[in-house]
C-alpha cells in the first residue's frame, strides 16, 4: 500500500476523489497506527509517521468512501498522571464523518478488567466496538439555501427523529424512525399546516447506548451521550451505515428547506459517552485523556458538571477547535440552521465558575459562519452556580425555564404569581433587557422532552417512572403539575373537560407571549407517556408519538377519542393567530406609554382588573389574585418594518382567569368601542374566524373557571 505524507489539516478523513488524507491529534502518543478494517475481520495497520504540532497524518491513494477505519495509540498508560493510552483499543476518529456498527459491551472495550479495576486490560476491542467511515463529501444541494427565518417569525418544534415518525400511519414501514421519514410529505405537511418554521431535532450526533441500559433491556433513547461530533447517528439511517446516513440526513434537510422549515440540532458538547474512570475506552480517552477531559486534583478521576461522568476541558485549545470545527461542518456541509446547546453552562466553565465571556463564547462571537445561525442555550448544568438563565451573551437565545415554571404555576392556581406571569407574558425583561437583548432572547416553552408531556402535565401530580427501572427515583419530583382532581386515566367527563381546557390554556398562553414559542412534538394532539417524566431510556410506544386518526374528528366533544384532533385544530389556530399579528411577536420590549407618531394617546400595553380598572400595586401583590386583562395596542408597535415603515396591527384584549371559579370581566372603556371574541379556551371547538360574539366597551363577559378569552379590535 502506498503511503504519502499527507497534510495535518483538516483533521479526520478527507476524501478528494483519488484517495483519503488522515489526520489525528494526540499530544501524549508515542506512536499512532491507522487501521483499515476489512469485512472479514482483519485489518491493515499504517503507522502515521508525519507529525505537525502533535497532529499525525498520512495520505493513502486509492482509499475510497465506505472504508472503515480506526486508530491504535501507543503511549503511556498512567491513570495517576491522567494518561490512558492502550494500543489494544481500536479508537474512533474524533473527526469521523460517519460511524459504522455498534458496541456489544464486551469487557474488551474497557481499559480495565471487570474483576479488578486497577488491572490494565489488553484485550483487543476491535471486534466489539464501532468503526469510523470515510465518506464521500459530494452532494447535489441544488438551489438549497438556509431559510434564515427571523426570530420574531419563528415557531420552534422540538422533536425526536424516531419518536416523531415511528408510528405515523402514512409512512412506509422501512422509513419509520429515520432521517428519510423527516423528508416524507406527511411529516412536512403536518409541520407546515401547524405553522412550524423550525424543527429542533433532539441529538442526531452519533451517540452510544449505555452498558447499564442495554443490560436492563433499555436504551439511551434521547441520545444525550455523544461519541461522534461530526457523524449523523447511524441507527436513524434507513439504508446503511457506510456513509449512507450522511446522504440521507442531507436529503432530509434539503426537503425541509424546500418547505421553508429550518433544521436546528440539539448538540451535546459538554461531555462524551466515555463516562467516568469506570467507562469504556472508545476515542478521546485513549487518544489523549488529559487534553480532552477536565480531571480532578487526582488525575485518575473526572470532574463532572453534567451528571454523566465527565466534562470536556473547555480551556483546551484542541477541545475548542473540535467544537468549532464541528459547528462549522454542520452549517457549511450539512446545511443546518442553528443549534440548541445542551447544558450550555458547562461550555462556559473554563476553570470552575461559569464565565459568560469564556473562550468558547468569544470564538462563537467572532466566527463568520457559526455567529450567523440560530444559537440557543439550555442555560444550566448540574454544577455549582450552574443556573444561568438570563446571563448568556447577546448573540444567544435561551430556553427560559422561568417562563415554564411561572406559566405552570399560574394555571394551577398558585398564589402570588400574577406579577411574575405578567413579566413572562411580555418577554421577561427582567432577564434580558439589562444587557441590551430583546424579548426574542427568550425561548418560551411549557413542556419539552425533559419532563411531563402537555397531557401528563394536567393529568398527574406525581411522576410515574417505574418502567425506567430506578425505583421511581429518577426524574424531577417538583413538576408544578396538577391532575385536575384525578391521578392518571379517568372517564369522568368533568375532569376530562377541565384537562382539555387547561391544555388549551397552555397552548394559547404560549402563542400569546412575547418571545419565541417552542412546542414539544405530539403535544398538539395530547400525547401521553403515562406519567413518565424522564423517558430518556424508553425507545418504545411509551415515548413515540401516536398520531390521531383524522377520520375520528368530531368538534362537538372533547372527552372522547377525538379530543386529540380537536386540540390539534386549536393549536393550529393559535399558531396562525400569532403569525398573522405582529403585536404578539414584538422585537422590542413594551414601554408602558404611548408611542410618538400614533393617532391615539393609548399606551402600548395596559393592565386591568376583571372589573375593568387599571391595576394598582395592591392588585399585583394580592395573594388571591389569579385574573387580569391585558390590552395590546396594535397602533403602538415601536419597532419599524424592514424598510423603515411603521408597523400597525389590530389591538387585542387578553383576559385570563386562572381561578377555580367563574369570573365576570368588564371590557375596559376608553380602549376601543367594539370588540370581537377570537379565542375562548372554554370552547372545545374553538372560535371560527369572523364568527365570534361582538362585545362593546363596558359590557361584561363571564369567563368560566381556568380559561382565557382574547378579543380583537380592527386597526
Amino acid at each position: 500500500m502506498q503511503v504519502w505524507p499527507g497534510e495535518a489539516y483538516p483533521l479526520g478523513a478527507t476524501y478528494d476523489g483519488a484517495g483519503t488524507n488522515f489526520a489525528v491529534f494526540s499530544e501524549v502518543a508515542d506512536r499512532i497506527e491507522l487501521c483499515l478494517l476489512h469485512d472479514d475481520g482483519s485489518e491493515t495497520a499504517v503507522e502515521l509517521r508525519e507529525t505537525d504540532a502533535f497532529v499525525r497524518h498520512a495520505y493513502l491513494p486509492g482509499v475510497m468512501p465506505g472504508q472503515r477505519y480506526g486508530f491504535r495509540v501507543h503511549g503511556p498508560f498512567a491513570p495517576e498522571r491522567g494518561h490512558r493510552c492502550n494500543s489494544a483499543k481500536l479508537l474512533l476518529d474524533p473527526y469521523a464523518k460517519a460511524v459504522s456498527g455498534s458496541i456489544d459491551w464486551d469487557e474488551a472495550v474497557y481499559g480495565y478488567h471487570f474483576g479488578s479495576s486497577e488491572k490494565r486490560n489488553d484485550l483487543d476491542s476491535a471486534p466489539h466496538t464501532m468503526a469510523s467511515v470515510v465518506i464521500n463529501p459530494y452532494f447535489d444541494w441544488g438551489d438549497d439555501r438556509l431559510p434564515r427565518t427571523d426570530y420574531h417569525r419563528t415557531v420552534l418544534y422540538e422533536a425526536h427523529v424516531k419518536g416523531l415518525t415511528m408510528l405515523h400511519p402514512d409512512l412506509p414501514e422501512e422509513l419509520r424512525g429515520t432521517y428519510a421519514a423527516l423528508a416524507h410529505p406527511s411529516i412536512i405537511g403536518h409541520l407546515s399546516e401547524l405553522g412550524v418554521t423550525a424543527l429542533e431535532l433532539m441529538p442526531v450526533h452519533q451517540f452510544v447506548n449505555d452498558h447499564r441500559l442495554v443490560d436492563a433491556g433499555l436504551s439511551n433513547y434521547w441520545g444525550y451521550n455523544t461519541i461522534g461530533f461530526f457523524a449523523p447517528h447511524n441507527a436513524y439511517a434507513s439504508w446503511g451505515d457506510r456513509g449512507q446516513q450522511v446522504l440521507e440526513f442531507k436529503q432530509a434537510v434539503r426537503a425541509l428547506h424546500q418547505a421553508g422549515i429550518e433544521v436546528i440540532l440539539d448538540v451535546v458538547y459538554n461531555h462524551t459517552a466515555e463516562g467516568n474512570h469506570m467507562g469504556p475506552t472508545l476515542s478521546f480517552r485513549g487518544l489523549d485523556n488529559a487534553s480532552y477531559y477536565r480531571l480532578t486534583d487526582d488525575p485518575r478521576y473526572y470532574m463532572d458538571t453534567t451528571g454523566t461522568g465527565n466534562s470536556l476541558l473547555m480551556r483546551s485549545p484542541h477541545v475548542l477547535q473540535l467544537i468549532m470545527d464541528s459547528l462549522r461542518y454542520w452549517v457549511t456541509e450539512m446545511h443546518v440552521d442553528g443549534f440548541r446547546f445542551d447544558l450550555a453552562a458547562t461550555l462556559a466553565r473554563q476553570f470552575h465558575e461559569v464565565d459568560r465571556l469564556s473562550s468558547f463564547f468569544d470564538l462563537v462571537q467572532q466566527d463568520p459562519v457559526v455567529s450567523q445561525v440560530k444559537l440557543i442555550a439550555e442555560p444550566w448544568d448540574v454544577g455549582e452556580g450552574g443556573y444561568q438563565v438570563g446571563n448568556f451573551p447577546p448573540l444567544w437565545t435561551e430556553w427560559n425555564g422561568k417562563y415554564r415554571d411561572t406559566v405552570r404555576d399560574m394555571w394551577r392556581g398558585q398564589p402570588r404569581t400574577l406579577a411574575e406571569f405578567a413579566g413572562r407574558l411580555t418577554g421577561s425583561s427582567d432577564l434580558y433587557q439589562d444587557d441590551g437583548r430583546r424579548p426574542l432572547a427568550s425561548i418560551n416553552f411549557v413542556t419539552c422532552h425533559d419532563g411531563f408531556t402537555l397531557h401528563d402535565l394536567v393529568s398527574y401530580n406525581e411522576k410515574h417512572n417505574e418502567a425506567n427501572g430506578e425505583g421511581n427515583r429518577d426524574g424531577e419530583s417538583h413538576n408544578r403539575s396538577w391532575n385536575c382532581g384525578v391521578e392518571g386515566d379517568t372517564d369522568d367527563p368533568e375532569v376530562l373537560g377541565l384537562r382539555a381546557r387547561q391544555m388549551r390554556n397552555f397552548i394559547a398562553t404560549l402563542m400569546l407571549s412575547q418571545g419565541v414559542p417552542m412546542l414539544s412534538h405530539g403535544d398538539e394532539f395530547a400525547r401521553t407517556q403515562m406519567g413518565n417524566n424522564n423517558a430518556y431510556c424508553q425507545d418504545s410506544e411509551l415515548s413515540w408519538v401516536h398520531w390521531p386518526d383524522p377520520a375520528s374528528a368530531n368538534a362537538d366533544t372533547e372527552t372522547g377519542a377525538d379530543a386529540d384532533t380537536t386540540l390539534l385544530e386549536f393549536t393550529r389556530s393559535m399558531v396562525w393567530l400569532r403569525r398573522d399579528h405582529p403585536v404578539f411577536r414584538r422585537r422590542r420590549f413594551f414601554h408602558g406609554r404611548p408611542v410618538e407618531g400614533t393617532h391615539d394617546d393609548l399606551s402600548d400595553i395596559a393592565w386591568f382588573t376583571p372589573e375593568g380598572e387599571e391595576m394598582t400595586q395592591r392588585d399585583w401583590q394580592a395573594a388571591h389574585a389569579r385574573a387580569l386583562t391585558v390590552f395590546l395596542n396594535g397602533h403602538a408597535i415601536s419597532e419599524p418594518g424592514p424598510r423603515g415603515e411603521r408597523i400597525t396591527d389590530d389591538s387585542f384584549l387578553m383576559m385570563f382567569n386562572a381561578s377555580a371559579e367563574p369570573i365576570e370581566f368588564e371590557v375596559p372603556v376608553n380602549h376601543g368601542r367594539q370588540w370581537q371574541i377570537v379565542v375562548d379556551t372554554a370552547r372545545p371547538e374553538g372560535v371560527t374566524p369572523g364568527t365570534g360574539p361582538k362585545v362593546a366597551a363596558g359590557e361584561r363577559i363571564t369567563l368560566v373557571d381556568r380559561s382565557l378569552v382574547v378579543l380583537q379590535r380592527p386597526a
Side-chain angles (χ1 to χ4, degrees):
M1 176 178 290
Q2 287 188 322
V3 180
W4 298 351
E7 302 290 340
Y9 189 85
L11 290 164
T14 306
Y15 172 69
D16 64 4
T20 302
N21 189 83
F22 295 89
V24 62
F25 159 80
S26 176
E27 189 169 341
V28 72
D30 298 324
R31 195 160 61 88
I32 296 180
E33 291 176 300
L34 165 68
C35 297
L36 303 180
L37 307 176
H38 309 301
D39 290 343
D40 63 2
S42 63
E43 63 183 58
T44 299
V46 177
E47 183 172 348
L48 302 180
R49 298 183 182 277
E50 297 293 327
T51 306
D52 291 298
F54 302 112
V55 175
R56 315 289 176 110
H57 53 89
Y59 180 91
L60 274 61
V63 170
M64 296 286 125
Q67 174 65 58
R68 296 182 303 129
Y69 71 97
F71 297 114
R72 295 188 186 273
V73 174
H74 301 259
F77 182 83
E80 70 281 1
R81 293 190 285 123
H83 304 314
R84 295 179 179 270
C85 299
N86 186 338
S87 61
K89 310 307 171 188
L90 184 76
L91 304 178
L92 286 171
D93 181 355
Y95 278 72
K97 306 301 191 303
V99 172
S100 176
S102 59
I103 302 171
D104 65 12
W105 295 116
D106 186 87
E107 185 177 9
V109 302
Y110 291 87
Y112 60 91
H113 286 280
F114 289 165
S116 173
S117 61
E118 301 299 320
K119 184 180 177 183
R120 172 175 160 145
N121 179 341
D122 288 325
L123 295 172
D124 184 7
S125 70
H128 308 285
T129 191
M130 302 179 288
S132 307
V133 179
V134 177
I135 70 157
N136 186 342
Y138 305 110
F139 179 77
D140 182 8
W141 283 103
D143 59 356
D144 180 74
R145 62 181 61 191
L146 275 58
R148 298 199 180 279
T149 306
D150 292 332
Y151 269 121
H152 69 283
R153 297 183 181 276
T154 295
V155 176
L156 292 164
Y157 187 86
E158 188 197 29
H160 187 282
V161 171
K162 188 172 185 180
L164 178 66
T165 63
M166 196 64 187
L167 298 178
H168 198 293
D170 294 340
L171 291 176
E173 195 76 31
E174 65 273 14
L175 295 187
R176 296 183 182 186
T178 70
Y179 302 121
L182 298 177
H184 194 275
S186 295
I187 298 297
I188 291 179
H190 172 74
L191 297 176
S192 297
E193 290 173 13
L194 188 58
V196 168
T197 70
L199 182 62
E200 183 178 306
L201 293 175
M202 291 175 65
V204 298
H205 286 175
Q206 184 69 45
F207 62 85
V208 171
N209 281 316
D210 314 54
H211 193 169
R212 175 185 69 83
L213 293 175
V214 171
D215 284 351
L218 302 169
S219 69
N220 194 312
Y221 169 65
W222 284 353
Y224 293 96
N225 203 31
T226 304
I227 196 63
F229 295 105
F230 294 78
H233 187 59
N234 56 21
Y236 296 154
S238 65
W239 56 294
D241 69 357
R242 298 285 186 94
Q244 294 93 334
Q245 61 266 55
V246 179
L247 295 176
E248 193 170 319
F249 181 87
K250 289 179 177 179
Q251 288 165 349
V253 171
R254 185 175 60 189
L256 287 159
H257 282 179
Q258 286 172 351
I261 298 172
E262 294 182 307
V263 178
I264 294 173
L265 302 188
D266 193 337
V267 290
V268 189
Y269 291 112
N270 49 69
H271 73 280
T272 79
E274 291 185 302
N276 61 19
H277 62 289
M278 301 298 286
T281 299
L282 305 175
S283 179
F284 309 92
R285 171 174 285 142
L287 279 164
D288 195 334
N289 187 59
S291 289
Y292 280 112
Y293 293 116
R294 297 186 70 204
L295 306 178
T296 65
D297 292 338
D298 183 344
R300 293 176 297 171
Y301 305 112
Y302 297 80
M303 190 170 291
D304 178 17
T305 59
T306 64
T308 60
N310 65 53
S311 301
L312 283 171
L313 182 61
M314 293 308 299
R315 65 173 180 267
S316 164
H318 306 291
V319 170
L320 292 171
Q321 180 187 0
L322 173 80
I323 295 174
M324 295 306 299
D325 285 349
S326 169
L327 292 170
R328 279 191 295 269
Y329 174 79
W330 285 95
V331 175
T332 59
E333 298 298 319
M334 307 295 264
H335 285 209
V336 304
D337 303 271
F339 306 94
R340 178 264 189 192
F341 293 79
D342 179 64
L343 301 180
T346 292
L347 300 175
R349 291 183 182 274
Q350 280 189 291
F351 300 99
H352 173 71
E353 71 285 352
V354 175
D355 176 9
R356 74 178 213 164
L357 298 179
S358 71
S359 299
F360 171 70
F361 297 106
D362 290 343
L363 289 172
V364 169
Q365 187 84 19
Q366 59 79 42
D367 189 275
V369 173
V370 180
S371 65
Q372 299 305 302
V373 300
K374 288 183 168 67
L375 302 170
I376 303 170
E378 181 187 35
W380 49 78
D381 65 18
V382 299
E384 181 182 346
Y387 193 77
Q388 294 291 318
V389 174
N391 290 333
F392 277 71
L395 275 182
W396 292 71
T397 60
E398 302 174 13
W399 271 27
N400 190 344
K402 293 187 176 181
Y403 177 93
R404 171 200 59 204
D405 295 346
T406 302
V407 171
R408 289 185 178 192
D409 281 347
M410 173 74 172
W411 284 113
R412 70 189 180 111
Q414 288 295 102
R416 300 190 187 281
T417 59
L418 203 61
E420 185 165 6
F421 174 77
R424 303 296 160 237
L425 184 74
T426 53
S428 297
S429 59
D430 59 321
L431 299 177
Y432 304 115
Q433 192 170 27
D434 61 348
D435 57 4
R437 286 194 284 173
R438 301 282 175 85
L440 301 169
S442 177
I443 304 296
N444 298 330
F445 66 104
V446 176
T447 58
C448 63
H449 69 273
D450 190 0
F452 281 143
T453 66
L454 183 62
H455 171 278
D456 293 356
L457 183 67
V458 301
S459 304
Y460 295 91
N461 284 350
E462 308 296 335
K463 62 184 181 183
H464 296 270
N465 297 354
E466 291 79 8
N468 297 353
E470 300 180 42
N472 205 34
R473 294 184 299 274
D474 63 301
E476 176 61 58
S477 296
H478 183 45
N479 293 283
R480 293 180 162 88
S481 61
W482 179 50
N483 64 17
C484 297
V486 177
E487 186 74 358
D489 286 343
T490 181
D491 56 5
D492 186 324
E494 289 191 13
V495 173
L496 290 172
L498 176 56
R499 288 177 177 177
R501 190 159 71 250
Q502 285 285 73
M503 286 190 282
R504 291 192 292 273
N505 289 335
F506 283 122
I507 293 291
T509 302
L510 181 63
M511 294 304 156
L512 297 171
S513 298
Q514 305 298 324
V516 181
M518 185 184 78
L519 293 164
S520 180
H521 68 183
D523 276 353
E524 68 270 31
F525 30 72
R527 82 175 182 97
T528 179
Q529 292 178 169
M530 308 304 293
N532 191 319
N533 75 349
N534 190 34
Y536 76 101
C537 58
Q538 298 295 330
D539 187 1
S540 67
E541 292 198 17
L542 178 70
S543 55
W544 300 340
V545 172
H546 291 254
W547 291 78
D549 180 2
S552 71
N554 177 358
D556 293 331
T557 181
E558 62 181 347
T559 59
D562 58 341
D564 48 9
T565 306
T566 304
L567 181 61
L568 173 59
E569 293 300 326
F570 179 82
T571 306
R572 284 173 178 160
S573 68
M574 289 306 308
V575 173
W576 285 98
L577 178 69
R578 175 187 182 84
R579 291 189 69 176
D580 288 342
H581 292 285
V583 76
F584 296 123
R585 41 184 178 82
R586 291 172 53 116
R587 289 171 284 133
R588 295 178 181 172
F589 287 109
F590 290 100
H591 301 291
R593 60 179 184 271
V595 172
E596 290 185 16
T598 59
H599 68 262
D600 62 36
D601 58 356
L602 299 176
S603 64
D604 55 1
I605 189 169
W607 309 88
F608 301 92
T609 66
E611 291 76 24
E613 300 172 354
E614 292 211 32
M615 294 278 286
T616 65
Q617 195 65 30
R618 170 183 266 182
D619 294 324
W620 287 116
Q621 294 174 346
H624 64 277
R626 296 182 180 88
L628 80 162
T629 296
V630 187
F631 168 71
L632 299 183
N633 189 349
H635 288 280
I637 299 174
S638 56
E639 62 266 20
R643 292 176 175 81
E645 73 277 15
R646 270 202 61 211
I647 297 175
T648 60
D649 191 12
D650 298 343
S651 296
F652 290 86
L653 286 172
M654 301 183 292
M655 298 176 171
F656 297 88
N657 177 18
S659 70
E661 303 294 335
I663 293 180
E664 270 200 345
F665 281 69
E666 182 174 317
V667 177
V669 296
N670 302 325
H671 283 74
R673 290 186 230 170
Q674 195 72 28
W675 300 82
Q676 185 170 36
I677 294 177
V678 292
V679 177
D680 184 351
T681 60
R683 298 186 181 193
E685 73 281 4
V687 178
T688 303
T691 66
K694 290 184 168 55
V695 184
E699 285 192 39
R700 292 180 172 268
I701 306 172
T702 300
L703 268 65
V704 304
D705 60 291
R706 296 186 174 88
S707 69
L708 71 83
V709 166
V710 178
L711 294 84
Q712 181 177 2
R713 188 195 76 193

